[in-house]
Amino acid sequence: STHMKAAGTTSDQQRRQVEASRIVANVATLPAGWIPMLLGDFNMQSSNQQAWGTLTNSTAGGGPFLDPIATPG
């Protein structure tokens, strides 16, 4: 579970990127075969934010999580 930095300033978005990167790094340490699930309040106003791409496979080189709704916006 996570509760990322709220609000929409550039500084807030940069902080969420740091948080997302740390989550992905932690997931990378899990044993092979584990399937992580991430829930929480991401405080992202859209899927265009860098942190979203870091967490999900929505961009090339994206993270380990899938968006089950798959409705970017």
Side-chain angles (χ1 to χ4, degrees):
S1 176
T2 188
H3 186 215
M4 292 185 159
K5 178 73 174 106
T9 68
T10 299
S11 175
D12 298 324
Q13 291 182 31
Q14 290 170 341
R15 180 64 202 169
R16 284 192 291 275
Q17 173 57 25
V18 168
E19 294 166 354
S21 294
R22 288 181 180 165
I23 290 168
V24 170
N26 285 338
V27 167
T29 68
L30 294 174
W34 281 43
I35 301 172
M37 180 184 292
L38 180 63
L39 307 166
D41 184 353
F42 301 99
N43 284 310
M44 291 184 218
Q45 291 74 30
S46 79
S47 60
N48 295 325
Q49 292 188 19
Q50 185 178 8
W52 183 254
T54 297
L55 290 172
T56 69
N57 66 347
S58 65
T59 60
F65 298 101
L66 301 174
D67 176 3
I69 300 172
T71 53

